[in-house]
Amino acid sequence: MTGDLRSICVIIAAKNASDTIATAIASALAEPEVSEVVVIDDGSTDATADVARACDDGSHRLKVDRFDVNRGPSAARNHAISISSAPLISILDADDFFFRGRFAAMLESDDWDLVADNIAFIQQSVSGASSLQPARFAPEEHFLTLSEFVQGNISKRGIERGETGFLKPIIRRAFLEQHGLRYDEALRLGEDYELYVRALACGARYKVIRNCGYGAIVRGNSLSGSHRTDDLRQLYEADRRILAAYTLTQPQKALLEEHERHIREKFELRHFLDAKAKGGLGGALTHAVKRLPAMPSVIHGIWMDKTAKYRKRPQQVADVRYLLSATPLNS
């Protein structure tokens, strides 16, 4: 890849991120392949937009826009795509950062529509996280199928989260345009997963390399960890829309149906607990009568939550862990 075809727009959707946005922007501007950094302040009540504008390095690559009312990450990213022009698009969360030299490894070949690399999950307590040197891994690569991607987003109890939906690929703008793809603005949870499933359903070549160039800070108060009950409903309904809209193989359908069921069971449990919190035992019983088919999974979910402490073995939380397993290289 040469010339302008290597040009990347980094998109950052930010809400109340004044404490972290400067690190995110600086890491993007440090990459020579980045021609645009577009920050969308999604209705923040703090100084996110002002802090972002102060990060301008004089290269005229930084653009900051603001929504007066919070519209969600999908709307913010879609707006950023609409006001940018670089042929490649890279998503960066406002509390994360790029390791230096990230994009050089990702752009070594030209055989993909989306290309993602490894992610280092770094505990918030680790000081100087953005200055860390990530582990070096053998240059293994793999092309994700739709089935592999969906399977990788069905979490298992007792296993540390590692969904393939966490991957932060570079995306070819031309592929999005060719297939009319944008983020589903009804979604505030799983919006990346949903977009990438549709891209794969359209035939996207989704390449994954083991080099680590993305640093994700693990915070207890992250937006993805505080989703609303209705966010779960929107996500399983998105699976249903994909099943209805695309021609899929039977194994692909089966996995999407499994993911839909997986999310729907989470929704039903949260929906029941909301009814109990609002209406007490009477409210819970009324809810149960109205949604009898869902009660077996609700009862199972409550039982698993109540007994989790007896099944869990104490584990030391690593300061840094990597999303993708890979072969380490000696320094």
Side-chain angles (χ1 to χ4, degrees):
M1 300 176 70
T2 59
D4 191 53
L5 293 178
R6 294 177 61 93
S7 175
I8 298 172
C9 173
V10 175
I11 288 172
I12 306 175
K15 180 187 176 186
N16 294 337
S18 60
D19 292 340
T20 62
I21 191 69
T23 297
I25 293 172
S27 75
L29 290 173
E31 297 303 297
E33 299 85 358
V34 172
S35 61
E36 298 175 286
V37 177
V38 180
V39 179
I40 307 299
D41 181 345
D42 189 16
S44 295
T45 56
D46 67 1
T48 293
D50 291 335
V51 173
R53 292 188 183 100
C55 294
D56 191 341
D57 64 353
S59 65
H60 307 293
R61 292 179 292 161
L62 178 64
K63 179 182 296 184
V64 181
D65 206 348
R66 186 177 190 280
F67 292 162
D68 292 332
V69 177
N70 177 258
R71 293 170 53 188
S74 293
R77 290 172 179 174
N78 284 343
H79 181 57
I81 291 171
S82 74
I83 62 174
S84 61
S85 60
L88 303 177
I89 296 167
S90 175
I91 305 300
L92 176 59
D93 288 344
D95 51 358
D96 296 341
F97 61 91
F98 297 144
F99 289 111
R100 188 65 67 95
R102 181 200 189 202
F103 294 124
M106 301 175 80
L107 298 179
E108 282 186 358
S109 64
D110 191 24
D111 54 353
W112 46 266
D113 301 300
L114 297 88
V115 59
D117 58 354
N118 213 339
I119 296 178
F121 292 107
I122 306 169
Q123 294 297 317
Q124 186 178 7
S125 58
V126 175
S127 61
S130 61
S131 299
L132 293 177
Q133 290 296 318
R136 296 175 61 244
F137 299 110
E140 301 159 331
E141 60 183 48
H142 177 69
F143 282 88
L144 280 174
T145 66
L146 188 152
S147 294
E148 288 172 330
F149 181 76
V150 175
Q151 181 70 63
N153 283 278
I154 301 174
S155 58
K156 305 293 190 297
R157 287 180 180 270
I159 299 177
E160 213 164 13
R161 295 187 71 189
E163 288 96 320
T164 48
F166 287 155
L167 292 170
K168 291 290 191 289
I170 299 173
I171 309 168
R172 290 195 192 281
R173 184 185 298 270
F175 186 87
L176 297 181
E177 299 297 344
Q178 178 185 354
H179 297 283
L181 296 174
R182 288 294 186 271
Y183 287 93
D184 184 341
E185 298 191 9
L187 297 179
R188 290 173 177 259
L189 172 71
E191 66 280 351
D192 294 308
Y193 156 83
E194 192 271 348
L195 177 65
Y196 304 153
V197 170
R198 285 189 287 126
L200 286 163
C202 291
R205 300 165 297 169
Y206 192 161
K207 185 176 184 177
V208 179
I209 65 175
R210 266 32 186 194
N211 182 73
C212 182
Y214 191 100
I217 303 299
V218 179
R219 304 176 189 276
N221 62 346
S222 68
L223 291 178
S224 61
S226 58
H227 53 262
R228 305 168 303 172
T229 300
D230 193 59
D231 295 335
L232 290 164
R233 179 182 63 81
Q234 293 283 359
L235 183 53
Y236 79 71
E237 288 182 352
D239 274 333
R240 290 179 176 176
R241 289 193 292 272
I242 293 172
L243 283 162
Y246 290 90
T247 301
L248 304 172
T249 66
Q250 196 54 47
Q252 290 171 341
K253 289 180 181 178
L255 278 168
L256 266 172
E257 288 167 352
E258 182 181 350
H259 185 269
E260 185 270 343
R261 184 168 58 252
H262 173 69
I263 301 300
R264 179 162 39 86
E265 288 176 353
K266 289 184 176 183
F267 163 78
E268 293 291 357
L269 175 58
R270 286 279 296 269
H271 199 21
F272 174 82
L273 295 175
D274 288 348
K276 184 174 182 292
K278 184 177 180 180
L281 182 59
L285 289 173
T286 299
H287 179 90
V289 169
K290 290 180 178 179
R291 302 185 75 88
L292 276 177
M295 285 307 101
S297 63
V298 169
I299 293 168
H300 177 71
I302 292 172
W303 169 257
M304 294 298 289
D305 287 346
K306 294 292 186 184
T307 59
K309 63 181 179 181
Y310 301 109
R311 296 190 308 276
K312 286 184 178 178
R313 295 180 180 178
Q315 292 183 336
Q316 185 174 0
V317 177
D319 286 342
V320 181
R321 72 176 179 90
Y322 294 90
L323 176 65
L324 304 173
S325 60
T327 304
L329 290 176
N330 294 327
S331 303

